[in-house]
Amino acid sequence: LAVCNGSTTTLSNPTGATGGTWTSSNTAVGTVSSSGVVTSLSPGTTTITYVLGSPCGGTNASAVVTVNALPAAIGGASSTCLGTGVTLTDATSGGTWSSSVGGVATINSTSGAVTTVSPGTTTITYSLNNGCTNATKVFTVNPNPASIGGVPVVCVNATTNLTNATSGGIWSSSNIGVATI
């Protein structure tokens, strides 16, 4: 039986009788309640045993529980502009990348390279081959600003007004020795 770290699973009484006791051989990996609920605490293996005392002569049943590791947090940007790619990372190797909305952004399943498709939001997920998925990142693809409007030619010591239909941007000049904005 395998579970992901931080999750619980419920084991059933194998004999159908009442009055037995549940135990864990490695409580650093997982503990078990009196009702058979196993709580995983760290990656590793523990044997969960159900012991039924008298009148059945101390019979018992056991199950090996493997607690699998979760992936680390996803690293990298949470947003980019349309047409600009980024690569996301995860410190836990061997996993697979996916995007919840391929119409917004796709992601290479092995490299983590994001390709933008359209403005919007998607959830990027990194899943380990052991079935454990806990690493997600909400990723936003921002629209590009509209084209700059206005007259792009001006005489020395004169001004011209440039416009942009997209609000909230910041204007800059690549050569302030020629023109400032």
Side-chain angles (χ1 to χ4, degrees):
L1 175 66
V3 296
C4 296
N5 193 25
S7 65
T8 62
T9 188
T10 302
L11 300 179
S12 61
N13 173 347
T15 65
T18 58
T21 304
W22 292 95
T23 60
S24 170
S25 67
N26 188 346
T27 56
V29 171
T31 60
V32 62
S33 71
S34 61
S35 60
V37 176
V38 178
T39 302
S40 59
L41 302 174
S42 65
T45 303
T46 184
T47 300
I48 304 296
T49 305
Y50 182 79
V51 178
L52 187 61
S54 295
C56 296
T59 60
N60 63 53
S62 61
V64 175
V65 175
T66 300
V67 178
N68 291 319
L70 295 172
I74 295 174
S78 295
S79 66
T80 193
C81 292
L82 183 61
T84 305
V86 298
T87 299
L88 301 179
T89 61
D90 196 285
T92 310
S93 63
T96 303
W97 296 95
S98 63
S99 170
S100 66
V101 185
V104 171
T106 61
I107 188 164
N108 182 288
S109 63
T110 56
S111 71
V114 176
T115 301
T116 60
V117 178
S118 67
T121 302
T122 185
T123 299
I124 301 294
T125 303
Y126 186 72
S127 303
L128 295 179
N129 295 334
N130 62 17
C132 296
T133 301
N134 193 37
T136 60
K137 178 182 280 250
V138 174
F139 190 84
T140 302
V141 177
N142 297 308
N144 290 321
S147 297
I148 294 175
V151 179
V153 178
V154 65
C155 295
V156 174
N157 294 324
T159 62
T160 186
N161 286 325
L162 301 177
T163 61
N164 193 283
T166 308
S167 63
I170 299 171
W171 292 93
S172 64
S173 170
S174 66
N175 188 345
I176 60 171
V178 173
T180 60
I181 190 162

